[in-house]
Amino acid sequence: MGRYRGPIVKIARRLGVNVAETEKVQKFLDRRPYPPGQHGQKRARRPSDYAVRLREKQKLRYIYDVSERQFRNLFEEASNKKGVTGTVFLQLLESRLDNVVFRLGIASTRRQARQFVRHGHILVNGKRVNLPGYRLLQGDEVAVSEKAQKLVFVKDNVERFKNRKSFSWLEFSPDAMKGRFLRTPEREALSLPVNEQLVIEFYSR
């Protein structure tokens, strides 16, 4: 299964969480806190154990906006590394270039961040990288290319998110449009509405 390209609000309502992590989607959820469709407001039956685990997996996959194959490959990689599999898995997702571009406020959504990377607007350690899933390492510098710094929507994003919540594992200079991936975050620092243990159980069944 490839990446989902349809309305993200529909997915957010179906899963009951703000998978886009944007104010716009949250407003939709606040107004209509039930699944989409004519039967959305009806009382749902108790889900099976499989359905519960699948739901958690889908929430995490849609939050980071990756394909099923990429998601599964990252899980298998996390399973083969030292440490708590769930935490390592989240750290691998957080260290993706498209996610960091979003976290820094250069892009308003992960979808937009992926587009910026694909179009060559992002530099890593001074070199152009066009792979959204590129793995950042501790100390890597992420910057907006000189040409992209003149784009109105990039400047608007940086200005809009200048004063929003910052992340301890990242640093960013709005004026220079340049940031740094300081380290992989600890699990406690990630406020994700997901139980990653259920995701592990889903793939381990």
Side-chain angles (χ1 to χ4, degrees), residues 12-164:
R13 288 180 60 197
R14 190 175 78 194
L15 296 175
V17 296
N18 184 357
V19 293
E21 296 187 88
T22 64
E23 293 182 4
K24 182 177 180 180
V25 171
Q26 189 58 52
K27 288 179 181 178
F28 274 101
L29 285 176
D30 292 340
R31 286 206 304 267
R32 299 181 178 181
Y34 48 83
Q38 60 178 330
H39 303 298
Q41 297 187 64
K42 290 187 177 181
R43 184 175 181 180
R45 292 179 298 177
R46 181 182 177 185
S48 65
D49 289 344
Y50 172 80
V52 170
R53 293 178 175 84
L54 174 62
R55 184 187 182 87
E56 290 302 298
K57 189 268 290 186
Q58 293 293 71
K59 283 197 290 187
L60 192 59
R61 187 169 77 81
Y62 281 115
I63 286 174
Y64 286 98
D65 193 28
V66 296
S67 69
E68 179 61 41
R69 176 181 291 183
Q70 289 174 318
F71 196 76
R72 180 66 183 252
N73 288 343
L74 280 175
F75 172 78
E76 291 179 355
E77 182 180 346
S79 299
N80 293 323
K81 286 181 175 288
K82 293 182 179 179
V84 180
T85 299
T87 299
V88 174
F89 188 31
L90 294 179
Q91 290 174 335
L92 291 176
L93 288 165
E94 277 293 323
S95 63
R96 285 173 55 93
L97 179 57
D98 55 357
N99 176 73
V100 171
V101 169
F102 166 69
R103 292 285 194 211
L104 291 174
I106 297 169
S108 59
T109 65
R110 287 186 180 84
R111 283 186 178 184
Q112 189 180 67
R114 172 180 287 268
Q115 188 177 44
F116 286 174
V117 175
R118 284 288 189 198
H119 289 180
H121 296 329
I122 304 300
L123 309 177
V124 177
N125 298 327
K127 296 182 179 179
R128 197 179 307 275
V129 175
N130 61 3
L131 299 174
Y134 179 86
R135 181 81 47 76
L136 292 173
L137 302 176
Q138 182 175 337
D140 279 349
E141 181 186 84
V142 178
V144 180
S145 69
E146 186 175 346
K147 181 179 178 180
Q149 289 184 27
K150 301 174 184 177
L151 298 175
V152 174
F153 46 84
V154 173
K155 291 191 290 186
D156 286 348
N157 286 341
V158 173
E159 183 63 31
R160 187 184 313 122
F161 298 120
K162 185 185 297 184
N163 298 317
R164 76 172 183 178

